[in-house]
Amino acid sequence: MARIVFITNSIGFGGAEKMLTFVANSLSERGHRCAIVNLGTVPEYVNAYKQSIDERIDVFNMKDKIQQKNRKAEISAVAQYAKEFRADVLIGFTNFPNMYACIVGRMLRIPSIMSERGDPKKTLSNTFKDRILKLIINSASGGVFQTDGAMSFYGKRLRMRGIIIPNPIFIKGTVPDVPYEEREKTVVSVGRLDNVQKRLDIMLKSFSIFLRKHPKYTLKIYGSGDDENAARQWCVELNIQDNVCFMGVTKTPMQDIARDGMFLITSDYEGISNSLLEAMAVGLPCVSTDHTPGGARLLITDHENGLLAPMGDAEALAKAMCEFADSPELAQKCGNNARDVVNRFEPKKITDMWEDYIEKVCR
């Protein structure tokens, strides 16, 4: 059994955090000794929504040791902790944790695995600092990617050593099986309120266009983030504030959205969206941008189990929502077919892939 140290920016409610705790918890249940180094570099609002972590997993909070941001001191602290833990492998989640894993792995002469959770073409620019960051990450012993598009960004040697492992679908508790004819006249979205990635401006504009033909619908937005106030102001400017509800963060998304009419995601980039997976699993007709680096295209076959629209195109997104609202037959077909993600992305299959790959890299 391996001794594994995961490195993350946060243990809050984001998709990368959810995936990290899933992998750590699943491997811990299988007898591996796991630890999480939490660099804690995200806003404090996530603290109320931390992921549930197996009690057998040790959590090292960097903020408890180093108050001010100091990369060199943090790397030294991670190295000391990993050495005392007697780690066999280091696994980073997202850019700076990936860098830490590579540097500390070299320092301790143990393998490192980088894990790309989004679109590196968006999160790693062509600045000198980011070119250095990419160079370091390319030196990892292995790499886990969600899509071919994300993998193609990195160097040939890392691509040859890497593997594509999609996200699993997490089902907690009983999920209501709501017939389509009983669903509400609602459009629902779940995610961090970050306009750069999630394009809340496009979401609200597309919904305002959709409302012209379907004025009885309500848009429900689950999540929290720095751009919530801006989104509320856009609602006022578009005169749709009476039709938009900000629901806050949910820990039971599948149960909360099970009765909604359709799901909407307007991101410019995603890895494999956990919220989209969850919406498909409960049978919602889903409208998604065809965002980079290909996660939506991996999940959705257009007009078979959902609808795809170009990024940044509010008119096209509104048209797709109208298709579902105007055609119950299409909405029901896509919602029913979407449920197959439960089989395609079953957690045991994903855990097996992670475990086999970690053991391969350690060997």
Side-chain angles (χ1 to χ4, degrees):
M1 292 295 172
R3 301 178 70 87
I4 307 165
V5 172
F6 295 90
I7 307 173
T8 180
N9 278 327
S10 165
I11 49 177
F13 62 81
E17 295 88 340
K18 181 182 288 189
M19 188 61 196
L20 177 140
T21 51
F22 161 76
V23 176
N25 288 345
S26 299
L27 294 177
S28 179
E29 290 172 3
R30 294 188 178 191
H32 298 278
R33 184 78 171 88
C34 297
I36 296 174
V37 173
N38 176 28
L39 301 178
T41 57
V42 297
E44 291 300 323
Y45 62 72
V46 304
N47 286 344
Y49 306 103
K50 289 180 180 177
Q51 300 294 325
S52 298
I53 298 173
D54 190 307
E55 61 183 12
R56 291 166 291 191
I57 296 174
D58 188 53
V59 178
F60 175 72
N61 288 302
M62 186 63 69
K63 282 190 174 181
D64 295 339
K65 188 172 182 67
I66 299 173
Q67 300 301 316
Q68 300 296 321
K69 174 58 62 179
N70 183 316
R71 297 284 182 201
K72 186 176 180 180
E74 287 185 350
I75 288 170
S76 296
V78 173
Q80 182 62 34
Y81 176 79
K83 184 177 181 180
E84 292 174 358
F85 188 78
R86 293 183 288 117
D88 295 315
V89 61
L90 299 163
I91 303 178
F93 270 64
T94 71
N95 292 331
F96 278 104
N98 286 337
M99 180 189 74
Y100 281 34
C102 293
I103 293 174
V104 174
R106 287 293 183 94
M107 291 169 66
L108 301 182
R109 297 185 178 182
I110 60 175
S112 60
I113 297 175
M114 60 78 69
S115 179
E116 175 57 63
R117 309 316 305 169
D119 182 357
K121 292 179 182 178
K122 300 290 187 181
T123 59
L124 284 173
S125 64
N126 199 36
T127 63
F128 177 75
K129 182 180 73 173
D130 281 351
R131 290 200 301 271
I132 295 297
L133 186 57
K134 180 182 176 182
L135 184 66
I136 294 171
I137 294 173
N138 270 322
S139 71
S141 310
V144 175
F145 308 89
Q146 297 180 81
T147 64
D148 287 314
M151 179 186 274
S152 67
F153 177 81
Y154 292 93
K156 182 177 179 180
R157 292 184 64 192
L158 181 57
R159 296 200 306 269
M160 291 176 64
R161 298 191 295 267
I163 187 174
I164 293 175
I165 303 179
N167 285 359
I169 176 63
F170 306 96
I171 298 180
K172 295 181 180 179
T174 302
V175 179
D177 185 3
V178 181
Y180 179 77
E181 57 272 15
E182 295 180 16
R183 293 189 179 277
E184 300 169 355
K185 289 187 180 299
T186 51
V187 178
V188 66
S189 176
V190 182
R192 187 178 68 259
L193 302 188
D194 165 22
N195 195 57
V196 172
Q197 178 182 359
K198 307 295 184 179
R199 293 307 303 271
L200 304 170
D201 56 340
I202 295 297
M203 178 184 296
L204 296 171
K205 184 177 179 181
S206 65
F207 182 68
S208 71
I209 298 169
F210 170 75
L211 271 182
R212 296 171 193 167
K213 291 187 176 180
H214 300 279
K216 294 183 179 180
Y217 271 77
T218 299
L219 172 63
K220 295 161 64 176
I221 301 175
Y222 286 93
S224 182
D226 294 337
D227 290 325
E228 181 172 342
N229 289 336
R232 289 179 180 273
Q233 181 59 38
W234 292 330
C235 289
V236 174
E237 293 171 4
L238 291 165
N239 196 29
I240 60 173
Q241 65 272 23
D242 293 339
N243 294 81
V244 179
C245 299
F246 289 85
M247 311 296 291
V249 175
T250 172
K251 279 198 167 185
T252 55
M254 297 176 78
Q255 289 79 6
D256 289 342
I257 70 174
R259 304 194 70 85
D260 288 309
M262 68 182 85
F263 180 84
L264 176 64
I265 177 170
T266 56
S267 299
D268 275 356
Y269 60 96
E270 293 277 351
I272 293 178
S273 167
N274 287 308
S275 62
L276 177 56
L277 268 175
E278 289 163 350
M280 295 177 74
V282 296
L284 264 67
C286 294
V287 175
S288 174
T289 48
D290 189 9
H291 44 252
T292 62
R297 220 173 308 132
L298 177 70
L299 300 179
I300 292 176
T301 301
D302 195 43
H303 285 82
E304 288 297 321
N305 64 348
L307 297 176
L308 292 173
M311 294 180 295
D313 191 334
E315 293 281 354
L317 287 159
K319 181 181 177 182
M321 286 187 278
C322 287
E323 277 197 73
F324 278 149
D326 294 336
S327 175
E329 296 80 10
L330 176 65
Q332 188 167 15
K333 182 188 83 168
C334 288
N336 289 339
N337 290 343
R339 292 179 186 273
D340 188 52
V341 295
V342 173
N343 299 317
R344 290 170 61 196
F345 303 97
E346 195 271 325
K348 182 182 180 301
K349 294 179 183 177
I350 308 304
T351 303
D352 288 345
M353 295 175 74
W354 272 94
E355 185 175 38
D356 292 345
Y357 184 67
I358 290 169
E359 291 177 349
K360 176 184 175 182
V361 171
C362 286
R363 286 196 300 269

